[in-house]
Amino acid sequence: MVKNLISSLLINACILSTANSFVLRLEKRVPSSVRRTPFFTNNNNTPMLLSKSLDTIDSSTAPVEASLTTCSDSNELIQSLLELTRHETDGTRLPTSQRESINDIVQRLEDFSGDDDEDGVDYTSIPLEGEHRTVYIDSERTPQYVGPFKGTTTQYFIDEEMFQNRLTLGPFQIALSAKRVGMDGRRLKIKFISTGVNLFGKELVKKELKAQGVWKMVFVGEVNDQTRIDDGGKGKKILLRVMRTPSLYILAKDL
C-alpha cells in the first residue's frame, strides 16, 4: 500500500510539473501604435516582406535592420535562428549571449510582424497536422524533464481543434490534451482539457484540467532549413512556427 501511494504521488508530481510548464497565461493585448510589416511566403517558400517600415530603426542597428528589406536577407534571418537553435532545445542551458541573440532575432521578426489585424496576416488559419518537434524553448519551467531526466517534447495535432503536448521518455509519456480556437490572425486561445500518463501505451492515470492561455504567433511559414541538407543538396523543407506563450517556443514539422 505504501509503495502504491509513493508511486501515485510521483506520478501526480510529474503531471503537475509538466502541466504547469505547458499551461499558458492569458495576456492583455496592447494595440500597436506603429503599423509594421508582416512576413509572408512567396512561391519559392522564402519569407519576404510586403513593404518597408523602418521609421523607428535605431541608428546603431540600422545596417542590420535595413538588410531585412530584401527577400534573401529575411531568409538569412530565419536561417540564423535555425542555426542558433540547432543543438540544444532547452534555452536555459545555453550561454546567456546565445539566448540573447536568439531573442533578438525573434524580436526583429516580431517587430516586422506587428499587432495589426488590418494588414491581412493570418497565421492562425494555417493547417496544422501530425507531429511537430520542438526546436527551442526558452522558459524557466521547461517541460522537457521528468525529474533529472530529459525527454522529447512534441505537439501532435489531432484535428482542426484538438491537439496534445507530449513529453516522451522511453516508454513513458505524459500527454496534455487541449483545444485551440482562433482569436484573430495572430492569436490562438488554448483551453487545456486533461493530462494523462502512459507507460508502454497503457494509460496509468488521467486528470481533468481547467486552464487556458494564449499563443501569439510571431512567424508561421514554410522555409528551407539549411542546417539540414537533403540528398539533393537543398535545405530540408519545414513548416516553422515561432510563438510566444508568453515564453518563446519554436517548433517545426518536416514537409
Side-chain angles (χ1 to χ4, degrees), residues 85-144:
T85 58
R86 66 182 299 188
H87 296 301
E88 176 58 70
T89 57
D90 182 3
T92 63
R93 294 178 179 261
L94 293 177
T96 301
S97 59
Q98 187 171 346
R99 293 175 69 187
E100 289 177 348
S101 296
I102 292 169
N103 288 326
D104 181 63
I105 292 175
V106 172
Q107 185 61 57
R108 292 175 190 277
L109 289 174
E110 195 166 32
D111 286 344
F112 276 94
S113 178
D115 290 319
D116 298 327
D117 291 330
E118 298 177 359
D119 51 30
V121 173
D122 189 358
Y123 289 147
T124 59
S125 294
I126 295 176
L128 302 176
E129 57 184 22
E131 186 174 85
H132 293 231
R133 61 185 172 85
T134 300
V135 176
Y136 180 78
I137 302 174
D138 196 344
S139 172
E140 293 181 359
R141 298 181 300 179
T142 177
Q144 300 180 85

Side-chain angles (χ1 to χ4, degrees), residues 30-44:
V30 180
S32 174
S33 59
V34 179
R35 186 180 180 81
R36 302 168 190 161
T37 307
F39 276 95
F40 281 81
T41 305
N42 62 16
N43 293 331
N44 296 323

Side-chain angles (χ1 to χ4, degrees), residues 168-214:
T168 304
L169 182 62
F172 180 81
Q173 184 181 85
I174 298 176
L176 282 81
S177 299
K179 179 180 180 180
R180 66 192 191 279
V181 178
M183 298 174 66
D184 52 41
R186 291 186 177 82
R187 297 183 301 161
L188 288 169
K189 185 174 183 178
I190 308 300
K191 181 180 180 181
F192 289 97
I193 298 173
S194 65
T195 183
V197 176
N198 298 296
L199 184 63
F200 291 105
K202 182 179 180 180
E203 188 174 88
L204 299 180
V205 64
K206 184 177 181 179
K207 288 192 173 183
E208 292 186 359
L209 284 179
K210 293 183 179 180
Q212 62 182 5
V214 170

